[in-house]
Amino acid sequence: ALGQIDDIARAVSMDLKQPGNRLLLIGHTHNELGGSHLALVNSLDGGTVPRVDLDNAPGLFVSLHSAISTGTVRSCHDLSEGGLAVSAAEMAFAGGIGVSLDLAELARASGGLENAVLLFSESPTRFLVEITAECEEAFRQAMAGQPVIHVGTTHEGDRLEIHGADGDLLVDSALHDLKRAWQSPLDWD
């Protein structure tokens, strides 16, 4: 049954597993920053509130479950809370593995959305998955008919690097700095 794990060895966690893997974004990214963490941090009002893609969600969930069941997915994280930038950072520091993101393909697939929207949109029904290069074809076959966008790679090292749609370096941060910022609301000192 969907949602049931028959073999615990096939469970997929969010921590990145190894350098040299590919990062793929599954789902459609829209300009949905209303009520987002970005809006909260910057005291922004208005904007479009994220909406679940009711037409595409059931098929996407079934396809992703199938890909996970075949063992092609090394790690996976939803992109609803904080968007791509936050999810990539969480996956990187959870696994202690560096990440290099490139927004060019995502910008094209999303109709030329701005870098900030690509990084922080909280459009639901989206996932960031880590796969090996050898499994990419099988993964794409399992996801046939669903949006699959290459957004980056994992690497040895301790940094998250993000290149914008035009190739400019937007972020180059140490994972320990990102983790400290992520944990800072929990610090009571």
Side-chain angles (χ1 to χ4, degrees):
L2 187 60
Q4 176 180 324
I5 298 176
D6 295 322
D7 181 357
I8 194 68
R10 295 221 183 252
V12 172
S13 58
M14 65 167 254
D15 52 306
L16 294 176
K17 303 303 186 285
Q18 70 186 57
N21 285 344
R22 297 174 62 78
L23 296 172
L24 305 176
L25 189 153
I26 313 307
H28 295 288
T29 299
H30 303 288
N31 188 354
E32 295 180 317
L33 295 171
S36 67
H37 283 278
L38 180 70
L40 177 67
V41 168
N42 291 290
S43 301
L44 302 175
D45 292 326
T48 302
V49 175
R51 299 180 64 118
V52 173
D53 184 348
L54 296 175
D55 294 330
N56 199 44
L60 188 147
F61 293 145
V62 168
S63 296
L64 184 56
H65 181 264
S66 173
I68 289 171
S69 296
T70 63
T72 61
V73 177
R74 298 297 315 273
S75 63
C76 182
H77 195 331
D78 71 280
L79 299 185
S80 58
E81 189 175 8
L84 173 60
V86 172
S87 295
E90 290 174 347
M91 292 173 80
F93 61 66
I97 293 176
V99 167
S100 192
L101 295 181
D102 184 333
L103 302 180
E105 186 176 334
L106 180 58
R108 287 190 298 274
S110 304
L113 292 175
E114 296 178 9
N115 290 328
V117 176
L118 297 174
L119 289 172
F120 298 105
S121 171
E122 294 188 358
S123 298
T125 324
R126 295 182 310 146
F127 297 88
L128 184 60
V129 298
E130 174 192 12
I131 61 167
T132 63
E134 297 79 26
C135 288
E136 183 168 3
E137 185 177 338
F139 178 80
R140 287 184 181 271
Q141 287 176 0
M143 298 301 296
Q146 300 298 330
V148 177
I149 300 142
H150 179 256
V151 292
T153 56
T154 61
H155 59 80
E156 292 186 24
D158 66 345
R159 303 197 76 73
L160 171 66
E161 302 162 349
I162 302 175
H163 293 268
D166 56 4
D168 288 347
L169 183 64
L170 304 176
V171 174
D172 184 6
S173 296
L175 297 183
H176 68 271
D177 290 339
L178 294 171
K179 188 170 186 178
R180 185 174 35 228
W182 179 79
Q183 290 175 323
S184 65
L186 303 176
D187 291 340
W188 301 105
D189 296 337

